[in-house]
Amino acid sequence: MADLELVGIDVAKNVFQLHGCSSTGAVIFRKQLKRNKLLSFISELPTCTIAMEACSGSHYWGREFEPLGQSVRLIAPKYVKPFVKLTKRDAIDAEAICEAALRPTMRFVQVRSEDNQAADLAFKARDLLVRQRTQIINALRGHLSEFGFVVAKGPTHVRKLVSAVEVGDLELPEISRPLLSILVGSGPII
């Protein structure tokens, strides 16, 4: 372990694949660890660079490894992909991460803070809700047009769609109104 310079970790939900190598790329170890053993294993390693794909969970692990004295490098998955040999498997991915991290011109992603990730979550959640709202409005408009009720596009005309379903002025087959009511009640569309 004295020659250990770099550890590539394929981040997963429960089982992580690790690939340790020297600065020349010589393999020092290949290891598979469960989630609850990863942090203690990394804490026992000599100071080295830990490389991971910048994906779900890697920023969390980066924040966990840095206080242990390890240098963390995150690589965008698109830069690791060319180094994957044969078929995609976790052990092969961990090795490819090491190969990519050893390249002198490789670009790395900075480990993000919890506050930064939380702020990003607010934008992502809002975007998701807006897309879902648009889907529901379009579904209502489409379904009601099949029964002859046509409304112009845009959120300003949503009240007409909701009214057509809830008030009952529009004659609909018996099975349709409860199903359309689910769409109307599925979220804040007005």
Side-chain angles (χ1 to χ4, degrees):
M1 291 277 200
D3 293 339
L4 184 67
E5 286 286 323
L6 180 64
V7 177
I9 301 177
D10 184 53
V11 178
K13 291 182 190 115
N14 296 312
V15 179
F16 298 79
Q17 193 69 42
L18 285 73
H19 182 91
C21 65
S22 67
S23 59
T24 62
V27 178
I28 295 176
F29 69 83
R30 289 183 175 105
K31 195 165 190 68
Q32 190 177 39
L33 289 172
K34 292 195 180 223
R35 182 180 197 84
N36 60 354
K37 305 275 187 204
L38 181 63
L39 202 55
S40 63
F41 178 79
I42 297 298
S43 68
E44 294 171 7
L45 291 178
T47 302
C48 62
T49 300
I50 296 177
M52 298 176 282
E53 282 184 322
C55 63
S56 175
S58 61
H59 293 278
Y60 164 77
W61 287 111
R63 289 191 301 269
E64 293 293 314
F65 298 152
E66 285 177 339
L68 299 174
Q70 307 296 3
S71 172
V72 177
R73 299 284 187 124
L74 302 181
I75 307 170
K78 68 181 179 182
Y79 296 131
V80 174
K81 190 173 183 176
F83 298 97
V84 175
K85 299 172 192 160
L86 304 171
T87 59
K88 184 171 170 36
R89 288 194 344 253
D90 294 344
I92 292 171
D93 288 353
E95 184 177 353
I97 291 166
C98 279
E99 284 191 40
L102 286 171
R103 299 288 182 228
T105 59
M106 183 54 62
R107 294 187 223 162
F108 297 99
V109 176
Q110 187 175 1
V111 176
R112 297 172 69 193
S113 69
E114 283 184 333
D115 290 339
N116 189 287
Q117 284 187 293
D120 194 37
L121 172 65
F123 289 113
K124 287 179 181 177
R126 182 188 182 282
D127 183 54
L128 174 65
L129 292 171
V130 168
R131 281 186 284 126
Q132 287 177 335
R133 176 179 178 234
T134 302
Q135 288 174 337
I136 292 169
I137 292 169
N138 289 340
L140 274 172
R141 184 181 305 103
H143 294 313
L144 289 173
S145 72
E146 292 176 5
F147 298 109
F149 188 79
V150 179
V151 175
K153 287 184 178 182
T156 56
H157 303 285
V158 173
R159 290 191 197 287
K160 295 174 192 171
L161 294 170
V162 172
S163 177
V165 172
E166 290 180 341
V167 176
D169 294 341
L170 180 64
E171 207 171 302
L172 294 170
E174 191 174 318
I175 194 170
S176 299
R177 195 171 306 279
L179 296 173
L180 292 170
S181 293
I182 291 171
L183 288 176
V184 167
S186 64
I189 60 172
I190 296 178

